[in-house]
Amino acid sequence: KITPKFCLWPIFSLPIEGIGNTKTRIHPVQERIAKCHGTQCGFCSPGMVMSLYSLLRNIPKPSMDQLMEALGGNLCRCTGYRPIVDACKTFCKATDCCQSKENGTCCLDQEESELLDSELGNRTCEKLFQEEEFLPLDPTQEFIFPPELMNRAEKQPKRTRVFYGERITWISPVTLGGLLEVKAKYPDAPIKPGSLFHVTNIAYILLILNVLISGLTIGAGCSLAQLKDILTDVVLDLPVEKTQTYQALLKHLRTLAGSQIRNVASLGGNIISRHSTSDLNPLLAVGNCTLNLASKDGKRQIPLNDQFLMRAQSSDLKPEEILVSVNIPYSKKWEFVSAFRQAPRQQNALAFVVSGMRVLFEEDTNIIKDISIFYGGIGSTTVCAKKLCQKLTGRAWNEEMLGGACRSVLDEVFLPASAPGGMVEYKRSLIVSFLFKFYLEVLQNLKMMNPSLCPCLPAEYGSVLEDFHCKHYETVLRYQKVDTKQFPQDPIGRPIMHQSGIKHATGEAIYCDDMPAHDQELFLAFVTSSRPHAKIVSIDTSEALKLPGVIDVLIGKDLQGVNSFCEFPENEEILATDEVFGVGQLVCAVIADSDVKAKRAAGLVKIEYSDLKPLILTIEDAIQHNSFFEPERKIDYGDVDEAFKTVDQILEGEIHIGGQEHFYMETQSVLVVPYGEDKEMDVYVSTQHSKLAQDIVASVLKVPSNKIMCHVKRVGGAFGGKTFKTGIMAAITAFARFVNTKELYKCVMKNKIILMKEKLGDIMNSQFILVNGRREVQFAKQNKTKEKKTCNEKKLK
């Protein structure tokens, strides 16, 4: 059974050719990102460069809207987007001007500019770079795919290609019939629309567009970006009453993920995955879409409804079937469709709650003929409010109907207090809010079609119907000019480019994980606690140790005597031994000869817990149980109590701040390299506190700090998260490497003795011996008189 796991695009199909580097030449995009101060830690810079490069290859002079859409899928955690956008704006049609404001004036009008000049004099400037010094962008000098290879590929006969790996077999058919044959042979194998080669692309096989009398038929292999372009054209060509579903889909397609994901993610993949937070499935369900399926035995259609989304066996695909296309019907007159979603960000974020709603009225009335409501993000599947829709059918569209619907919807679309993802009360309020907003949108449309059907909306409801639009605000920034009397070698106040800026932009900057592999290199993965407060009953590592390539599993008892540090809070350990105090606490560490094997083995470690009381999950719980960090730290200046007695007013209240979903662009990374004597060791670590990391490592290894050389070249984002915990991870890694270095040395000596015995005993027929678990030595006897040894002296050193 072959079940490869990937998100959207296999890594081995990505191109590795760079657009520029410091050894040959840098590309204008890379130069401007660096010289416009668009890099800081540099971890996101190659992604920014490639997004902008892709945009310029398609649109050499983009607008600001196109620029912001191209960068919508990129994240930056430390530079801030302003200098990055400043660099990108140098390629746009117009810079430094808002062009047309509502009042018809420019933000850089002469009066405002003269006022700033009179106040600040000639001591400031508006930019920290000079555009005229940049390399020009010449589209004719860009790389192209060699036409000769394209012609050669087109002339070759189209045939199915098969690629074999250790755990995965990749089959790339070129026809729909070939795909159905493969699916019949391997019914459990997943389908990945996308190209490995120019001639083998399943996405092309399933890319269909038919404009029918009843609606559109879209191929399952159509990318979300292509779907967005198709629907945009259709909405412009057809009457409004026919495009209600298409307009709602477009609303979500504009904010679904980022442009990079929309370019490769397919419509079929979005449907078949049936994620609860899918932005499109609720809309496709309310739009009465149907799915066209095919297999080796024939074709059939199934509706995209609540049963399909719940994976009911009677409404699901058979293992040997594939989704070929999707029928999206036109909407009717007096039919309205709306889309709603609420997420942490407008783009590139999973929604908390997503919804699709549709209502059809009796002609020229406000009586509901048919209604459909779907919610996503509130459970394991997309949910249909079927009972509510049955109650509302036949009723008038008025406030009485709305009141009953709001009271009933939470009974059917139930969200338990322990629902995954939390924020239960917030999600419940969104369920009702979306229904209220849908009521207002439909009321407004009814009034436009027949004013006598509904009363005027109150003025305060106007803002509810407004969508959030991203406005490109233009600001005037003034920077202090460099003093002409300042010495050239004095860097203070000068807009100096980041020393590694060019390397950040070209992707040549080396981070901890980019360092070359060392001989006998091992990898470590952590197993963390899944309970907030519990006693560790047992740790079963037997299944993990059975996995080939796994060397050892470290637990807290292995660090006996060194499992703490002087600066740790009381009872905190490097690896938890008896008790855990929070989810994510380090419990054990798996050591293997590859990163993949270490992570796989970490998932096989079984830890049995016994929950402890009290369970403190909120600030209120901590206050109730008198659980505080000690010692108390505060700053008193003067007599605070006396001051409160004499002040005119005392303001009291509470503010609640929840936990943050925090992350770094570069994950926690450590590389330790022992010298081989006196426990001396090089530690390459991505940390903000190298001295603390050095001290913790030295403490665990019981050596003086000067034996540990801690190297920090650069850090790919941190924000305080790489100060204390990074040192703990470095100490565990160093301890694991020291212990296993001795074990490997014993293994080497043992194998050398075996080698000598075999040689003396003349046992020479195809003997294979592993030295250090990695080196291979082969002996073969030729004609029983000669022996041939094939080995590398350097490897046996």
Side-chain angles (χ1 to χ4, degrees):
K1 183 176 179 181
I2 306 167
T3 54
K5 295 182 180 179
F6 42 75
C7 181
L8 290 173
W9 207 255
I11 289 177
F12 59 78
S13 68
L14 295 176
I16 59 172
E17 294 79 13
I19 63 172
N21 58 71
T22 56
K23 296 177 182 177
T24 55
R25 69 176 184 90
I26 61 172
H27 192 275
V29 172
Q30 297 167 328
E31 179 197 34
R32 299 189 194 191
I33 287 286
K35 292 186 176 179
C36 293
H37 314 285
T39 75
Q40 188 168 322
C41 81
F43 210 79
C44 72
S45 300
M48 296 288 182
V49 167
M50 291 310 301
S51 292
L52 181 56
Y53 175 76
S54 300
L55 173 65
L56 296 175
R57 286 299 300 267
N58 293 285
I59 309 171
K61 285 289 184 180
S63 65
M64 277 298 296
D65 288 332
Q66 292 167 332
L67 169 63
M68 299 309 291
E69 183 177 359
L71 296 179
N74 293 80
L75 288 177
C76 175
R77 297 277 290 158
C78 52
T79 305
Y81 293 93
R82 183 189 56 76
I84 296 172
V85 172
D86 285 346
C88 299
K89 283 164 60 177
T90 61
F91 295 103
C92 289
K93 294 177 182 178
T95 59
D96 301 334
C97 183
C98 60
Q99 298 177 9
S100 58
K101 295 176 70 176
E102 294 180 1
N103 57 9
T105 61
C106 176
C107 65
L108 294 178
D109 61 13
Q110 188 173 358
E111 292 182 4
E112 292 181 7
S113 182
E114 289 178 354
L115 180 61
L116 285 171
D117 288 338
S118 63
E119 292 179 354
L120 301 174
N122 196 31
R123 294 170 293 148
T124 62
C125 59
E126 295 179 5
K127 293 182 179 179
L128 296 177
F129 53 86
Q130 300 297 325
E131 288 190 39
E132 58 272 12
E133 297 178 359
F134 294 153
L135 294 172
L137 178 68
D138 186 357
T140 64
Q141 300 302 308
E142 299 296 344
F143 295 110
I144 62 172
F145 193 87
E148 181 182 352
L149 294 181
M150 295 180 66
N151 293 332
R152 186 183 302 176
E154 291 173 357
K155 293 177 182 178
Q156 289 181 350
K158 305 296 188 292
R159 59 187 177 86
T160 297
R161 298 175 185 269
V162 183
F163 305 87
Y164 297 97
E166 291 183 6
R167 300 178 58 246
I168 294 175
T169 299
W170 189 281
I171 305 173
S172 184
V174 293
T175 64
L176 180 58
L179 177 59
L180 295 177
E181 290 281 350
V182 173
K183 190 62 175 170
K185 188 175 181 181
Y186 304 104
D188 294 329
I191 295 177
K192 169 66 184 73
S195 62
L196 284 176
F197 287 94
H198 179 68
V199 295
T200 58
N201 194 339
I202 295 177
Y204 293 156
I205 299 173
L206 302 179
L207 184 55
I208 305 167
L209 172 60
N210 288 328
V211 181
L212 306 175
I213 298 175
S214 59
L216 298 178
T217 299
I218 307 293
C222 180
S223 72
L224 298 182
Q226 291 170 323
L227 177 63
K228 179 173 172 284
D229 294 338
I230 291 169
L231 294 181
T232 300
D233 294 337
V234 170
V235 167
L236 293 175
D237 294 339
L238 295 178
V240 175
E241 62 265 17
K242 284 190 172 185
T243 62
Q244 288 287 313
T245 304
Y246 305 151
Q247 291 182 55
L249 286 169
L250 275 174
K251 180 181 177 182
H252 276 182
L253 283 169
R254 293 188 187 102
T255 58
L256 195 156
S259 59
Q260 296 91 339
I261 293 178
R262 292 196 296 268
N263 286 337
V264 295
S266 66
L267 173 62
N270 194 287
I271 293 172
I272 295 299
S273 62
R274 283 170 279 192
H275 291 304
S276 171
T277 53
S278 169
D279 289 355
L280 301 186
N281 282 347
L283 287 172
L284 295 171
V286 300
N288 294 321
C289 296
T290 55
L291 306 178
N292 299 316
L293 311 179
S295 68
K296 193 178 178 181
D297 299 329
K299 301 178 181 179
R300 70 184 182 109
Q301 277 190 351
I302 60 172
L304 200 166
N305 55 16
D306 58 321
Q307 294 298 307
F308 170 78
L309 295 175
M310 293 171 61
R311 300 179 185 270
Q313 189 173 0
S314 59
S315 302
D316 204 354
L317 280 75
K318 298 176 182 177
E320 67 275 10
E321 287 181 323
I322 66 167
L323 174 61
V324 178
S325 58
V326 184
N327 299 323
I328 310 177
Y330 297 134
S331 57
K332 305 171 185 177
K333 193 174 182 180
W334 297 96
E335 186 175 34
F336 308 102
V337 182
S338 294
F340 306 100
R341 77 188 296 269
Q342 187 64 42
R345 298 176 300 278
Q346 190 172 25
Q347 275 189 313
N348 212 33
L350 292 175
F352 297 130
V353 177
V354 62
S355 180
M357 302 184 186
R358 177 188 61 85
V359 62
L360 174 65
F361 294 99
E362 300 284 354
E363 188 171 355
D364 210 21
T365 69
N366 67 342
I367 303 301
I368 301 172
K369 183 178 181 180
D370 186 35
I371 187 170
S372 181
I373 300 173
F374 279 78
Y375 286 100
I378 57 174
S380 58
T381 61
T382 302
V383 179
C384 175
K386 187 178 291 186
K387 294 180 181 178
L388 173 63
C389 294
Q390 292 173 351
K391 289 180 181 179
L392 298 181
T393 302
R395 297 187 61 178
W397 195 262
N398 52 34
E399 290 192 7
E400 183 182 355
M401 179 278 303
L402 175 64
C406 290
R407 286 188 293 270
S408 301
V409 67
L410 290 177
D411 294 333
E412 184 173 2
V413 186
F414 179 68
L415 197 63
S418 59
M423 298 185 290
V424 172
E425 290 302 321
Y426 179 55
K427 290 181 178 180
R428 285 174 177 167
S429 68
L430 287 176
I431 292 171
V432 177
S433 298
F434 288 166
L435 190 59
F436 174 63
K437 191 171 183 178
F438 180 58
Y439 167 77
L440 294 179
E441 285 186 3
V442 172
L443 207 63
Q444 187 182 50
N445 289 326
L446 284 174
K447 186 170 181 61
M448 291 174 62
M449 297 182 72
N450 188 343
S452 63
L453 292 178
C454 54
C456 293
L457 288 174
E460 59 268 22
Y461 289 173
S463 62
V464 178
L465 299 175
E466 294 180 4
D467 286 326
F468 291 103
H469 297 287
C470 289
K471 298 180 180 179
H472 308 306
Y473 294 101
E474 293 287 342
T475 57
V476 180
L477 299 176
R478 294 280 178 165
Y479 304 99
Q480 178 183 349
K481 283 185 177 180
V482 178
D483 191 346
T484 55
K485 299 179 181 179
Q486 188 173 335
F487 291 108
Q489 63 269 29
D490 183 1
I492 302 300
R494 295 183 187 274
I496 300 174
M497 182 183 68
H498 194 301
Q499 188 176 15
S500 299
I502 296 294
K503 286 184 283 188
H504 288 165
T506 60
E508 295 172 273
I510 302 297
Y511 294 84
C512 191
D513 197 43
D514 300 321
M515 298 182 68
H518 287 71
D519 190 28
Q520 302 177 13
E521 188 171 78
L522 300 176
F523 296 82
L524 184 145
F526 288 104
V527 180
T528 59
S529 166
S530 60
R531 302 291 181 89
H533 189 200
K535 180 180 178 62
I536 298 176
V537 177
S538 65
I539 301 176
D540 183 4
T541 63
S542 57
E543 291 299 320
L545 290 171
K546 290 178 183 178
L547 197 68
V550 175
I551 308 298
D552 198 1
V553 179
L554 286 181
I555 61 176
K557 294 179 181 178
D558 294 324
L559 279 73
Q560 190 171 3
V562 293
N563 200 19
S564 62
F565 184 62
C566 59
E567 295 187 21
F568 282 10
E570 188 178 358
N571 297 328
E572 184 165 348
E573 298 173 313
I574 292 177
L575 286 178
T577 52
D578 300 319
E579 191 174 340
V580 293
F581 299 95
V583 173
Q585 187 173 348
L586 303 180
V587 179
C588 55
V590 179
I591 307 158
D593 58 14
S594 77
D595 182 39
V596 174
K597 292 176 182 177
K599 291 178 179 176
R600 196 182 306 154
L604 297 176
V605 175
K606 299 175 183 178
I607 305 175
E608 184 181 350
Y609 298 97
S610 174
D611 291 331
L612 297 175
K613 301 294 182 180
L615 197 62
I616 300 175
L617 302 176
T618 66
I619 295 294
E620 289 76 15
D621 293 341
I623 295 173
Q624 179 183 350
H625 294 94
N626 198 32
S627 178
F628 302 98
F629 282 109
E630 298 291 347
E632 180 182 1
R633 297 180 180 180
K634 61 181 180 179
I635 299 175
D636 287 345
Y637 184 78
D639 192 338
V640 177
D641 295 330
E642 187 63 29
F644 270 106
K645 295 178 182 178
T646 58
V647 295
D648 297 329
Q649 293 182 349
I650 296 178
L651 303 179
E652 293 182 298
E654 292 183 355
I655 182 171
H656 295 267
I657 302 176
Q660 293 183 342
E661 295 181 354
H662 200 51
F663 67 96
Y664 333 106
M665 299 296 287
E666 178 198 29
T667 53
Q668 304 278 11
S669 301
V670 179
L671 171 65
V672 298
V673 183
Y675 286 141
E677 59 179 20
D678 300 330
K679 295 186 180 180
E680 293 181 346
M681 185 173 290
D682 275 333
V683 178
Y684 300 89
V685 57
S686 177
T687 182
Q688 296 169 276
H689 199 334
S690 54
K691 178 62 169 64
L692 181 61
Q694 180 191 40
D695 291 342
I696 299 178
V697 172
S699 173
V700 168
L701 297 184
K702 294 184 177 180
V703 299
S705 294
N706 63 358
K707 299 287 186 181
I708 307 300
M709 182 63 70
C710 195
H711 303 265
V712 183
K713 176 66 175 178
R714 54 176 58 89
V715 179
F719 309 96
K722 294 182 179 178
T723 51
F724 193 77
K725 298 298 182 183
T726 314
I728 296 176
M729 295 181 181
I732 298 171
T733 309
F735 183 85
R737 185 56 184 166
F738 173 71
V739 171
N740 284 281
T741 298
K742 294 197 297 185
E743 294 298 323
L744 287 172
Y745 179 70
K746 292 178 182 178
C747 180
V748 173
M749 295 304 298
K750 182 179 179 182
N751 283 325
K752 283 182 178 178
I753 294 170
I754 293 174
L755 171 63
M756 292 300 295
K757 285 183 178 179
E758 289 179 346
K759 191 172 182 181
L760 290 172
D762 198 25
I763 307 173
M764 298 301 178
N765 287 321
S766 301
Q767 296 294 325
F768 293 88
I769 301 172
L770 292 180
V771 180
N772 292 2
R774 307 182 86 179
R775 308 302 185 216
E776 183 179 282
V777 183
Q778 177 182 354
F779 294 91
K781 188 173 183 181
Q782 297 180 355
N783 300 325
K784 295 186 179 181
T785 57
K786 296 182 180 180
E787 63 183 37
K788 182 178 179 181
K789 181 174 66 174
T790 57
C791 66
N792 191 306
E793 290 183 1
K794 185 177 180 181
K795 291 182 179 180
L796 282 176
K797 186 178 178 180

